[in-house]
Amino acid sequence: MRNSWWGIALLVALVGTVYLLDAVLMPFIAGLILAYLADPLTDYFQRLGMRRTWAVSSVFLILTFVLALSLLILIPLVVQQIKQLGEALPGMLSWVESVLAPQVQEWTGYDLATELGNVRETLIENWRDAGSYVAQALGHIGRSGMAFVSWVTYVALIPVVTFYLLLDWDRMLNNLGNLVPRQWADDTCRLARRCDEVLASFLRGQLLVMLCLGIIYAVGLTLLGLNFGLLIGVLSGLVSIVPFLGFIVGLVIALVVALFQFDTWWALLGVIAVFGLGQVAESVVLQPKLLGDKIGLHPVAVIFAVLAGGHLFGLTGVLLALPAAAVIMVLLREVKDRYKNSALYDAQLEPLEQQTQHDELGRDDKRESS
């Protein structure tokens, strides 16, 4: 009983620390997650004969090169398409009001034109005032110089924390394992392995699935000649962290843009073909190869974990949401397994099993007598 109270007190102290040190913990938690994601590649370089320091340095060089190349290529194209979207937005809204809204009203009786007129005026007004909003934000940043410096410092600390955590990752895990009481060591190691399976499947696997889907959608829509194809593909890939949500959001936006741009059914069929190809690739190749069957995190659980973590602990809570959800899910499965193996669960089944056996014996006796 005393051990249980100690465990509860430790958990309360941990949650209180996260709540009080929300902003300070952000770079350390982000670095911890990045180190966890990069550790398998570091271990692979070590198996090739590299020392740990050189392996970590090699991983950092690769990640820096990939990030810099992505920013140099992707960011200018996305910014350009966002600018083009802002210029084309009034025309698209006018087309929806004059062409699409009458069709919707004819099919459903809903007056979409009036609602879109208000939305159109609001968007155009806010878009024109975007420059003043940016100026106000920059002025606020200038007035809050220390807050801005702190934010930059926290972001700059992330790669530093990641490097040192990755350098001592195996030693840190061994030290934590040695601190576990020996009578709990076997169960703790078993649960830790199950948590690692879920986290590895979701974090590493889902990030790769999102990347692949974003590339498929962006390349396919761009080859179709669809305006904002790259922007729609990137957005669909990011939203794909929840299964099927990226497909639905991207498909709806791409269909509206294709209908506005081409006004032909062939363009709509091309968009459907691109997203259908992405879904086939996800179901047949990406999910089995990258995620497997160990993930176990329901999409609703993912959404709730992210929203609850952000509401309770801000950005730190968002970073902790998925790891915490994975651990809670593993613990709940452990509780369920122990319950099914307990005397309480068996006691509920024994009378039913005895009654079933008695009924079967009675039927056998009747058949023998007849």
Side-chain angles (χ1 to χ4, degrees), residues 192-203:
R193 283 193 295 269
R194 292 177 63 180
C195 292
D196 179 64
E197 289 178 353
V198 175
L199 279 177
S201 297
F202 188 83
L203 293 180

Side-chain angles (χ1 to χ4, degrees), residues 28-347:
F28 298 95
I29 294 175
L32 182 66
I33 294 174
L34 291 175
Y36 174 77
L37 294 174
D39 181 63
L41 183 58
T42 306
D43 292 339
Y44 173 75
F45 285 152
Q46 278 192 283
R47 289 194 295 269
L48 295 179
M50 289 186 179
R51 297 179 58 185
R52 184 73 180 183
T53 304
W54 286 107
V56 173
S57 301
S58 301
V59 170
F60 261 74
L61 287 176
I62 293 174
L63 294 179
T64 302
F65 175 76
V66 172
L67 180 61
L69 186 63
S70 301
L71 292 178
L72 289 175
I73 296 176
L74 190 63
I75 296 300
L77 294 176
V78 172
V79 170
Q80 181 184 3
Q81 293 204 354
I82 292 176
K83 183 179 179 181
Q84 293 175 354
L85 176 61
E87 295 172 353
L89 192 58
M92 293 178 64
L93 290 175
S94 299
W95 172 81
V96 171
E97 290 178 356
S98 60
V99 178
L100 186 60
Q103 293 291 333
V104 173
Q105 188 172 11
E106 181 181 350
W107 295 335
T108 64
Y110 178 70
D111 187 9
L112 184 63
T114 303
E115 299 293 335
L116 286 176
N118 298 330
V119 174
R120 181 175 182 271
E121 293 178 0
T122 302
L123 287 176
I124 293 175
E125 181 181 354
N126 291 334
W127 196 270
R128 290 173 178 172
D129 294 340
S132 62
Y133 294 152
V134 172
Q136 293 176 7
L138 292 176
H140 179 72
I141 291 174
R143 291 190 297 271
S144 305
M146 288 304 298
F148 177 70
V149 171
S150 299
W151 183 82
V152 172
T153 303
Y154 291 154
V155 173
L157 277 176
I158 293 177
V160 177
V161 173
T162 303
F163 180 86
Y164 283 106
L165 287 177
L166 192 57
L167 191 64
D168 295 328
W169 187 262
D170 295 335
R171 187 187 312 167
M172 182 176 63
L173 292 183
N174 290 331
N175 291 336
L176 289 175
N178 291 331
L179 291 176
V180 177
R182 293 301 90 190
Q183 66 269 24
W184 298 347
D186 293 338
D187 289 338
T188 302
C189 291
R190 178 172 53 82
L191 293 175
R193 283 193 295 269
R194 292 177 63 180
C195 292
D196 179 64
E197 289 178 353
V198 175
L199 279 177
S201 297
F202 188 83
L203 293 180
R204 301 187 187 113
Q206 190 64 35
L207 286 175
L208 290 175
V209 169
M210 292 163 57
L211 176 63
C212 294
L213 288 177
I215 293 174
I216 292 173
Y217 295 148
V219 172
L221 296 177
T222 303
L223 291 177
L224 284 177
L226 188 71
N227 291 336
F228 324 118
L230 177 63
L231 186 60
I232 296 172
V234 171
L235 176 63
S236 302
L238 292 175
V239 182
S240 295
I241 189 171
V242 179
F244 299 107
L245 184 59
F247 168 76
I248 296 172
V249 171
L251 180 61
V252 171
I253 296 175
L255 287 176
V256 173
V257 174
L259 193 59
F260 168 75
Q261 180 181 348
F262 299 107
D263 199 19
T264 62
W265 290 103
W266 292 108
L268 302 184
L269 292 177
V271 170
I272 294 174
V274 170
F275 280 89
L277 176 63
Q279 283 301 295
V280 171
E282 181 182 9
S283 301
V284 177
V285 179
L286 299 179
Q287 290 273 1
K289 297 294 183 182
L290 299 178
L291 289 177
D293 57 353
K294 298 176 182 178
I295 177 172
L297 283 175
H298 195 276
V300 176
V302 174
I303 297 174
F304 176 79
V306 173
L307 293 179
H311 177 73
L312 293 175
F313 304 112
L315 181 58
T316 303
V318 172
L319 295 175
L320 284 173
L322 293 179
V327 172
I328 292 173
M329 185 197 67
V330 170
L331 294 179
L332 289 177
R333 287 179 178 174
E334 179 71 13
V335 171
K336 184 188 74 172
D337 293 340
R338 294 197 176 192
Y339 165 69
K340 286 194 171 183
N341 292 326
S342 66
L344 177 63
Y345 185 78
D346 290 336

